[in-house]
């Protein structure tokens, strides 16, 4: 038997309506996670510079601004966890909101250690719609898009 549209409309439904989120073959896609994250701005914009002497801890402040129209979750990474620290290391920013980040460089023997690849990287992603303003690491582990910005570290002798 072939069903036509008028037969389906005129007859009572012989099927169950199952909410999409509970159906075993459905995949719920959060719209915020399917939209690419917008831009952020950092001040400084391209690199972080530490000046000698390096026999004591140095701290440099970075301003991070969410330039997009969506709430984002952000997290910093570093290539040298022994020498470089970031505080806070992660957080959530509403649209147009900013945060001041402290990047610190612990004392080290300049000229005796490789510093060529030192950098901090900020990663950010849209937060799920309706999510609380509390950072969640799993936002970066799903299928959502994650953006990155590298800030190389320059050491002046």
């Amino acid at each position: 038997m072939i069903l036509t549209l008028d037969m389906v409309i005129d007859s009572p439904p012989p099927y169950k309506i199952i909410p999409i989120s509970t159906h075993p073959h459905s995949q719920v896609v959060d719209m915020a996670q399917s939209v690419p994250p917008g831009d952020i701005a950092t001040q400084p914009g391209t690199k972080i510079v530490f000046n000698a002497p390096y026999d004591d801890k140095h701290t440099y402040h970075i301003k991070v601004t969410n330039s997009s129209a969506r709430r984002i979750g952000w997290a910093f990474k570093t290539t040298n966890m022994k020498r470089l620290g970031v505080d806070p290391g992660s957080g959530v920013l509403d649209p147009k909101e900013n945060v001041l980040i402290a990047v610190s460089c612990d004392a080290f023997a300049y000229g005796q250690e490789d510093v060529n690849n030192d950098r901090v990287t900020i990663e950010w992603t849209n937060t799920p719609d309706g999510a609380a303003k509390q950072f969640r690491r799993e936002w970066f582990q799903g299928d959502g898009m994650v953006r990155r910005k590298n800030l190389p570290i320059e050491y002046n002798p």
Side-chain angles (χ1 to χ4, degrees), residues 4 16 24 30 36 43 64 70 73 89 101 129 142-143 153:
T4 62
K16 276 198 295 186
D30 185 335
Q43 292 175 341
V64 177
R70 292 184 175 270
I101 309 293
D129 289 332
D143 293 333
I153 307 293

Side-chain angles (χ1 to χ4, degrees), residues 21-60:
S21 62
T22 61
H23 191 278
H25 301 294
S26 70
Q27 186 175 17
V28 177
V29 176
D30 185 335
M31 290 308 294
Q33 295 287 303
S34 64
V35 174
D39 290 334
I40 63 164
T42 61
Q43 292 175 341
T46 58
K47 66 182 176 181
I48 298 169
V49 180
F50 289 109
N51 294 312
Y54 298 105
D55 54 0
D56 201 6
K57 184 175 187 172
H58 290 62
T59 301
Y60 195 102

Side-chain angles (χ1 to χ4, degrees), residues 20-146:
I20 192 167
S21 62
T22 61
H23 191 278
H25 301 294
S26 70
Q27 186 175 17
V28 177
V29 176
D30 185 335
M31 290 308 294
Q33 295 287 303
S34 64
V35 174
D39 290 334
I40 63 164
T42 61
Q43 292 175 341
T46 58
K47 66 182 176 181
I48 298 169
V49 180
F50 289 109
N51 294 312
Y54 298 105
D55 54 0
D56 201 6
K57 184 175 187 172
H58 290 62
T59 301
Y60 195 102
H61 291 90
I62 302 174
K63 183 178 179 183
V64 177
T65 303
N66 176 6
S67 304
S68 76
R70 292 184 175 270
R71 179 182 282 176
I72 61 166
W74 56 269
F76 271 93
K77 294 181 175 182
T78 177
T79 55
N80 190 323
M81 293 178 68
K82 282 191 254 176
R83 183 167 34 244
L84 300 169
V86 182
D87 185 41
S90 60
V92 177
L93 286 174
D94 283 323
K96 312 307 177 212
E97 188 179 12
N98 61 59
V99 64
L100 201 59
I101 309 293
V103 178
S104 59
C105 172
D106 286 334
F108 71 102
Y110 183 79
Q112 299 174 21
E113 295 184 31
D114 182 16
V115 297
N116 291 323
N117 295 320
D118 284 8
R119 69 176 179 273
V120 294
T121 301
I122 184 169
E123 295 184 336
W124 70 98
T125 189
N126 293 329
T127 62
D129 289 332
K133 192 176 177 180
Q134 182 174 350
F135 180 82
R136 303 292 301 261
R137 176 65 57 196
E138 52 264 28
W139 294 338
F140 293 83
Q141 297 165 346
D143 293 333
M145 295 176 232
V146 176

